[in-house]
Amino acid sequence: MADALGLDARVRPVTVAGVDYLNIEGDDDLLTRVVSEASGAFALFGSADGLLRPTALERRRPYSDDLVTIQKYQGKTNEQFTHLLLNVTAALAKRPQALLDGSLHVLDPMCGRGTTLNTCLLRGIDVTGVDLDKKDFEAYQAFIATWLRSHRLKHEIDASQVRREGRTLGRALELETAPTKEDWKAGRTQQVTYLNVDTTRLERVMRRTSVDVVVADTPYGVQHGSHGDKLDRSPVQLLERALPSWHDTLRTGGTVGLAYNRHVVKPAELADVLDAHGFSVVHGHGAPAAGLDEGAFRHRVDASIDRDIVVARKG
Ligand SMILES: C[S@@+](CC[C@H](N)C(=O)[O-])C[C@H]1O[C@@H](n2cnc3c(N)ncnc32)[C@H](O)[C@@H]1O
């Protein structure tokens, strides 16, 4: 992110009293803000005369973080990884600063039970999620309604049917909330929309060029009990059908960031399918983002998932 914003920062791993840290040098005021939003930032210290001085993280977290930690279910995308995918994808968009000022609109077109929805809400970012799975939609609806009530947050929730040309395409959940009563009164609110429709037909239900960033944890091609991959086990075939409408929905200069399982799809295959649908890869096969190795984010989730991410830009 610092690179994308043109900040001059030198980063190196160091060990102090047996504990590993990242040492970051730079003198731009914005640097603390950027580092604070990093998915791996747990604590921040200034250093003077060899001593570490605790420094407050400067991050936008208008809601309490149990929003992303309470839910546990098979096939849930790890919440720290969800922050990472969002950060990297937004950093490589044309307007990376939108992530910091909260003016970003995010789409997760395969949102499951809503880890991205809750991660965005936690960070004060408007978000739309899409999933075809009725049980996931209902589970999210039940969870968020209870969470908002138990935290006594002012909110409005509206559930409706999505209808086009006399046909029902699915269901929609629209919610608006604010961190405090004062914010609610002043209209400083966040919006979350969940569309229980097929992601390959989004052009029928979403406005063109209405989102800045698309992030998705694609199906892993492995069975996750009752959740996860049952609707479409091949991410490439699914992407072939879904990318045209995701492209339509995304603003020019916006990015799509996908998490995928290298055991079921090759990085070159993904780059080809993205390229064929009008995106150019800005981090992935043959195109590492500035300052990164191609496999910078690759990691093993379990024996059947070798996870990596690809980010591509529209225009
Ligand atoms: C890896 S899971 C996402 C998990 C999610 N990030 C979470 O933490 O709950 C992939 C999702 O893609 C959804 N999916 C597969 N094919 C779809 C389609 N054609 N339209 C919409 N969603 C689809 C599945 O229902 C599944 O929830």
Side-chain angles (χ1 to χ4, degrees):
M1 178 107 205
D3 265 2
L5 286 168
L7 301 179
D8 184 21
R10 289 156 302 285
V11 184
R12 65 193 165 94
V14 294
T15 305
V16 180
V19 178
D20 295 333
Y21 294 86
L22 277 184
N23 178 288
I24 302 164
E25 280 178 61
D27 53 16
D28 197 299
D29 288 346
L30 197 54
L31 196 54
T32 306
R33 181 82 185 85
V34 169
V35 171
S36 300
E37 289 294 357
S39 56
F42 290 107
L44 198 59
F45 299 88
S47 122
D49 304 328
L51 296 176
L52 297 183
R53 181 173 32 83
T55 306
L57 290 165
E58 286 177 22
R59 56 188 178 196
R60 240 171 95 91
R61 292 288 185 277
Y63 303 93
S64 74
D65 69 3
D66 62 344
L67 178 58
V68 293
T69 54
I70 291 178
Q71 280 187 301
K72 306 267 183 263
Y73 51 89
Q74 261 186 332
K76 177 179 176 182
T77 308
N78 171 284
E79 52 270 17
Q80 196 182 2
F81 176 75
T82 302
H83 280 290
L84 173 95
L85 183 61
L86 176 62
N87 285 346
V88 173
T89 308
L92 294 172
K94 196 171 158 197
R95 222 168 47 87
Q97 57 278 17
L99 182 66
L100 301 179
D101 65 25
S103 64
L104 201 66
H105 186 168
V106 174
L107 166 67
D108 182 343
M110 292 192 277
C111 70
R113 289 207 202 173
T115 311
T116 305
L117 304 186
N118 292 337
T119 302
C120 287
L121 181 57
L122 177 71
R123 295 173 67 163
I125 295 170
D126 288 345
V127 60
T128 300
V130 175
D131 206 291
L132 192 50
D133 190 312
K134 288 190 173 58
K135 286 204 189 95
D136 281 357
F137 177 82
E138 282 160 10
Y140 184 73
Q141 184 172 18
F143 166 77
I144 198 68
T146 307
W147 188 86
L148 289 165
R149 267 199 313 275
S150 63
H151 287 71
R152 298 173 183 279
L153 292 170
K154 289 265 185 209
H155 66 275
E156 271 172 18
I157 297 192
D158 182 47
S160 60
Q161 300 229 316
V162 181
R163 292 182 63 80
R164 295 288 180 276
E165 293 146 16
R167 285 189 53 221
T168 302
L169 302 180
R171 288 176 293 175
L173 180 74
E174 283 170 285
L175 81 86
E176 181 171 17
T177 189
T180 64
K181 287 189 180 122
E182 293 68 41
D183 286 319
W184 180 261
K185 265 194 206 143
R188 288 187 296 270
T189 59
Q190 271 79 56
Q191 267 91 33
V192 178
T193 303
Y194 189 147
L195 302 170
N196 183 205
V197 300
D198 190 333
T199 198
T200 63
R201 306 302 305 271
L202 279 193
E203 73 285 355
R204 296 190 291 183
V205 290
M206 285 192 68
R207 273 192 300 115
R208 285 174 62 83
T209 61
S210 57
V211 304
D212 302 289
V213 156
V214 175
V215 288
D217 192 13
T218 62
Y220 288 118
V222 291
Q223 200 65 38
H224 271 135
S226 63
H227 287 283
D229 301 339
K230 59 211 166 290
L231 296 174
D232 210 320
R233 291 171 67 88
S234 161
V236 170
Q237 283 163 20
L238 175 59
L239 288 172
E240 286 279 6
R241 290 185 286 121
L243 282 172
S245 64
W246 298 1
H247 190 274
D248 258 19
T249 312
L250 193 59
R251 293 202 173 95
T252 302
T255 38
V256 50
L258 305 175
Y260 67 99
N261 183 4
R262 277 175 169 252
H263 288 315
V264 296
V265 49
K266 295 281 161 265
E269 242 182 308
L270 261 188
D272 284 350
V273 73
L274 284 160
D275 192 55
H277 289 90
F279 292 96
S280 30
V281 173
V282 285
H283 176 79
H285 179 70
L292 295 176
D293 295 334
E294 203 174 302
F297 302 111
R298 182 177 179 180
H299 60 282
R300 182 180 180 277
V301 176
D302 58 33
S304 59
I305 302 173
D306 175 10
R307 186 159 62 186
D308 205 346
I309 68 177
V310 60
V311 183
R313 192 185 290 179
K314 171 176 173 177

